[in-house]
Amino acid sequence: MIYEVAELYIKPDAHDAFQAAVTQAIPVFKAAKGCISMRLDRDIEVPDTYHLVVGWETLDNHVVDFRGSEGFVTWRGLVGSYFAQPPKVEHFNTVVNGF
């Protein structure tokens, strides 16, 4: 499994609407091929910044299957207008499972 971590920078006056849009998008992620989990975290020190953390079975499930799907179009349609700047997206493997 890999994790997509998308750092999202949201317009200051759009937090409630953005969070509602992400909630609307949960079924989009649930239906996506290879999607295992999804959560949204808000930065405490920099409250206009969020991390969308999505678990995928494989990297291709994200960068090929999801990004090439209607689900991605739906996702961006729901949340794209709230972005203050383009998201920063990186992928991670867990190398140490603590507790």
Side-chain angles (χ1 to χ4, degrees), residues 59-71:
L59 182 61
D60 278 353
N61 286 149
H62 177 227
V63 299
V64 176
D65 300 326
F66 184 63
R67 285 191 180 166
S69 73
E70 282 299 313

Side-chain angles (χ1 to χ4, degrees), residues 8-78:
L8 308 173
Y9 313 99
I10 304 306
K11 296 173 185 172
D13 60 343
H15 295 280
D16 290 340
F18 169 69
Q19 291 175 42
V22 173
T23 300
Q24 275 188 278
I26 292 171
V28 173
F29 286 95
K30 278 189 168 184
K33 179 181 177 185
C35 187
I36 297 168
S37 63
M38 172 264 200
R39 75 173 196 263
L40 181 69
D41 299 329
R42 187 172 183 184
D43 191 317
I44 294 169
E45 288 80 20
V46 186
D48 291 341
T49 303
Y50 292 78
H51 284 169
L52 175 72
V53 182
V54 184
W56 297 97
E57 289 179 12
T58 68
L59 182 61
D60 278 353
N61 286 149
H62 177 227
V63 299
V64 176
D65 300 326
F66 184 63
R67 285 191 180 166
S69 73
E70 282 299 313
F72 181 75
V73 174
T74 300
W75 159 248
R76 288 307 288 259
L78 286 168

